[in-house]
Amino acid sequence: MRLLFRLSLIVLATIFSLCAGSMACADSLESLKNYSQTAAESDALPQALMEDCFSMAGVEGLKKCKDLVGRDKADSKVWNRLGRIFYDLESYQEAYWSFRYATHLQSDYALAWANTCATLSQLQSYEEALDACDQSLHSSSLSEDSVDEKVLALNNKATALYFLGRYREALDISDQVLVLKPGNSQAQINRAVTLHT
């Protein structure tokens, strides 16, 4: 298992090295080099570090989440949070790989799939984005407490459909969101932009 994970980190390091030049990528590569420390450093993640990772944004949040990943590489929620911070920093390629690793660790992680969908749309891979959204919707349909994940996936799917020029489908998806969550601002925006087009 450790061998597989180290191989995954090598792949991630290679991908991060492709984006050399940006400060976020350089920081990511340096942190990945440090991840080869033994996993036996700590079995329990310090609560303060966990709270910082999930409450901080930007470069500071990125650092805290990378520290957590360095201690426990098998926590899909931390990988998802790391991807979310990369996404907010507009480092979409790094965000994509973080979300995908979260889904590799937990294949039914609806939120990470929905985030993968949004990231693929930012990378202009709209057909792949639709596949990720469908995976999120399938995963969220298996859970009873998944309205928010379903709404996120549907909004992201409407966006991908819009960019593919499939306006009627995008409108239908936005309407589905408004049935689930009346007044959802993202669905209203998606719907208004699509109608305008």
Side-chain angles (χ1 to χ4, degrees), residues 20 68 90 95 120 157 187:
L68 277 175
E90 298 180 4
L120 285 166
K157 185 173 184 173

Side-chain angles (χ1 to χ4, degrees), residues 12-62:
L12 282 172
T14 302
I15 291 163
F16 284 134
S17 69
L18 294 175
C19 62
S22 81
M23 183 171 284
C25 291
D27 290 345
S28 299
L29 186 56
E30 185 59 35
S31 293
L32 284 172
K33 289 177 185 174
N34 295 331
Y35 290 166
S36 62
Q37 297 170 351
T38 62
E41 284 180 16
S42 171
D43 287 340
L45 297 174
Q47 188 63 29
L49 188 57
M50 181 72 81
E51 289 172 8
D52 287 346
C53 170
F54 283 88
S55 65
M56 294 181 161
V59 175
E60 283 301 311
L62 194 63

Side-chain angles (χ1 to χ4, degrees), residues 87 92-93 96 113-135 137 153-167 169-170 173 190:
Y87 185 93
Y92 300 119
Q93 197 65 48
Y96 170 76
W113 279 114
N115 288 333
T116 301
C117 175
T119 304
L120 285 166
S121 286
Q122 289 295 330
L123 294 169
Q124 298 179 358
S125 297
Y126 305 115
E127 291 292 342
E128 290 178 57
L130 290 177
D131 291 340
C133 282
D134 288 341
Q135 185 64 42
L137 291 167
L154 287 169
N155 277 327
N156 291 342
K157 185 173 184 173
T159 300
L161 288 166
Y162 173 84
F163 283 114
L164 286 168
R166 294 163 59 180
Y167 305 123
E169 291 173 81
I173 296 292
N190 286 347

Side-chain angles (χ1 to χ4, degrees), residues 79-109:
W79 280 100
N80 184 65
R81 176 63 183 153
L82 182 64
R84 188 65 221 172
I85 294 171
F86 274 128
Y87 185 93
D88 291 342
L89 293 171
E90 298 180 4
S91 296
Y92 300 119
Q93 197 65 48
E94 293 87 347
Y96 170 76
W97 289 111
S98 297
F99 294 138
R100 286 298 287 136
Y101 199 75
T103 61
H104 167 75
L105 293 171
Q106 184 181 341
S107 63
D108 64 345
Y109 194 178

